[in-house]
Amino acid sequence: SAVISQKPSRDICQRGTSLTIQCQVDSQVTMMFWYRQQPGQSLTLIATANQGSEATYESGFVIDKFPISRPNLTFSTLTVSNMSPEDSSIYLCSVVGGGTEAFFGQGTRLTVV
Amino acid sequence: DAKTTQPPSMDCAEGRAANLPCNHSTISGNEYVYWYRQIHSQGPQYIIHGLKNNETNEMASLIITEDRKSSTLILPHATLRDTAVYYCIVGPSGAGSYQLTFGKGTKLSVIP
């Protein structure tokens, strides 16, 4: 299994600002993903973070709103841009290593006021 | 959309076996059945997965029907710490397909 550290664990932000969330893994991993969990809802995949190239976004998510970086095989960032209260959610980093099972960080709980 | 159907909630007495069902009638031949759980305010935790044979690990057992259209996750001796939302997910089969599509899951409450 992989140990995933997400920072910050929670934040309260003003609308119109941006927040960058960091995901650090203790080993090199093949795949990294970002998910969103809106209040009371299940998880929704935002994008696949590709090492050395642009992220692959799911329907309904765009790069201008959720820019993602993945400079190496152990680190990725997700930025939530120009935030509104509707962006209040838990954002989760997930990785897949040697097998097909996924491992998740503890999430970043974002509140936009 | 999620390819699975689960009951929204279940109760289980502490110390008893918890049997969580999942229907996945449209599963394709190379797709696996995965189970994850999410304890309140934590990230999802991988439990177990299988293709066609029954599987067992230190956390749970997974029973998959012969036609692969349904499965059951068994927690043999449920404890209060097993209270969580349990997600049954079909796929990924590897070969570049590692994304997970979460449904609503089953909220399991373990009762003292």
Side-chain angles (χ1 to χ4, degrees):
Chain A
S1 65
V3 177
I4 302 167
S5 173
Q6 250 186 266
K7 294 180 181 180
S9 59
R10 60 178 61 231
D11 208 341
I12 301 173
C13 300
Q14 296 292 321
R15 66 178 67 198
T17 63
S18 298
L19 176 71
T20 295
I21 302 167
Q22 298 181 0
C23 177
Q24 178 72 56
V25 191
D26 68 341
S27 59
Q28 294 185 346
V29 293
T30 308
M31 310 289 288
M32 296 183 77
F33 305 94
W34 288 97
Y35 288 82
R36 180 177 74 181
Q37 188 170 28
Q38 295 177 297
Q41 303 297 312
S42 187
L43 283 77
T44 301
L45 180 64
I46 298 172
T48 302
N50 300 310
Q51 194 264 327
S53 64
E54 190 172 288
T56 304
Y57 290 84
E58 298 299 304
S59 176
F61 298 96
V62 295
I63 187 172
D64 289 347
K65 177 66 176 177
F66 298 102
I68 289 170
S69 77
R70 187 178 175 192
N72 56 53
L73 294 176
T74 64
F75 186 78
S76 177
T77 65
L78 167 74
T79 299
V80 186
S81 303
N82 188 25
M83 289 183 285
S84 67
E86 292 70 34
D87 294 320
S88 297
S89 296
I90 299 173
Y91 292 87
L92 295 126
C93 171
S94 173
V95 304
V96 175
T100 57
E101 59 269 28
F103 300 94
F104 289 80
Q106 291 303 297
T108 296
R109 185 179 296 272
L110 171 62
T111 302
V112 183
V113 297
Chain B
D1 289 344
K3 298 176 67 173
T4 60
T5 303
Q6 300 177 251
S9 64
M10 292 182 63
D11 291 340
C12 178
E14 187 178 17
R16 302 296 294 270
N19 296 279
L20 291 90
C22 179
N23 288 322
H24 33 78
S25 58
T26 61
I27 190 170
S28 62
N30 63 346
E31 289 181 312
Y32 285 74
V33 179
Y34 291 79
W35 283 84
Y36 290 81
R37 72 180 182 184
Q38 187 174 26
I39 297 171
H40 183 62
S41 297
Q42 298 183 21
Q45 176 189 24
Y46 165 79
I47 301 173
I48 197 168
H49 73 284
L51 182 63
K52 58 176 71 174
N53 298 321
N54 298 337
E55 301 288 344
T56 296
N57 62 20
E58 65 278 4
M59 290 183 67
S61 295
L62 173 61
I63 308 299
I64 303 173
T65 58
E66 190 169 349
D67 63 8
R68 302 213 321 125
K69 292 185 177 182
S70 65
S71 61
T72 301
L73 179 75
I74 301 172
L75 307 178
H77 306 287
T79 71
L80 298 179
R81 288 175 294 181
D82 292 321
T83 292
V85 177
Y86 286 77
Y87 297 100
C88 170
I89 301 172
V90 166
S93 58
S97 173
Y98 295 96
Q99 293 85 346
L100 297 175
T101 300
F102 285 80
K104 297 184 183 300
T106 295
K107 184 174 183 179
L108 174 69
S109 299
V110 180
I111 301 168

